[in-house]
Amino acid sequence: MFAARVRGPVSFTVIAVWSQLEPTYAEALRRGVAVYEDVLRAGPCVLIGDFNSSAAWDDRHRRNDHRELDTSLREQFGLVSAYHAATGEAPGRESLATHYWRWQETAPFHLDYCYLPERWCAGLTSVTVGTYGDWAGVSDHRPVVVDVTPPG
């Protein structure tokens, strides 16, 4: 994780995420959140990137790692997934993939997120995810583009 301050009409901190398997993706995320706890509490913050985590994997492996992270971000810091707020889809039941394992269209997962302050959701205009075809030669991940007008 890496934090940067964005200054403008609405200033906020953006924390870029790329979760690594150390010792697990979920534990790496928990440790990163703990490191940035003061920054997250000071708000407003946007947490965005490759979480390598999914509620669908929770279901598949009979655990709650991603759901616990999602709940913790909402309850402790007031952050919600922009994708889920915009689509109304349940975590783990996403209709759009953000990652294709081993670059295969037949192995889609939703692992990339943009968590933003819940109060910003009123200004959420759209959330789009890049298509498999448009990004197939560039990355195994797809961009998540969030259009939001935060309250001033």
Side-chain angles (χ1 to χ4, degrees):
M1 293 179 146
F2 181 81
R5 189 73 179 149
V6 177
R7 298 197 188 281
V10 175
S11 295
F12 62 96
T13 300
V14 62
I15 301 175
V17 174
W18 182 23
S19 183
Q20 298 293 302
L21 188 55
E22 296 176 14
T24 67
Y25 294 115
E27 182 59 25
L29 287 166
R30 279 192 286 276
R31 290 176 181 178
V33 167
V35 166
Y36 286 103
E37 183 174 355
D38 292 343
V39 174
L40 289 162
R41 288 197 189 285
C45 284
V46 172
L47 194 62
I48 188 167
D50 177 2
F51 284 52
N52 274 314
S53 180
S54 170
W57 289 357
D58 285 356
D59 295 342
R60 186 175 297 168
H61 301 291
R62 295 184 180 156
R63 60 184 188 216
N64 283 311
D65 293 342
H66 185 81
R67 285 189 178 88
E68 287 173 2
L69 174 69
D70 187 74
T71 298
S72 174
L73 290 173
R74 186 179 63 255
E75 290 178 356
Q76 292 184 31
F77 310 111
L79 299 176
V80 297
S81 164
Y83 176 89
H84 296 92
T87 65
E89 295 175 1
R93 306 285 182 257
E94 297 87 1
S95 61
L96 299 175
T98 66
H99 173 74
Y100 293 88
W101 188 61
R102 294 188 176 171
W103 299 68
Q104 299 174 51
E105 191 171 12
T106 58
F109 298 98
H110 193 101
L111 306 179
D112 303 88
Y113 303 89
C114 174
Y115 279 84
L116 48 79
E118 189 169 16
R119 61 187 183 86
W120 288 15
C121 289
L124 192 56
T125 305
S126 68
V127 175
T128 56
V129 176
T131 66
Y132 177 82
D134 287 347
W135 293 87
V138 180
S139 176
D140 55 346
H141 289 264
R142 301 299 174 266
V144 177
V145 179
V146 177
D147 187 3
V148 63
T149 302

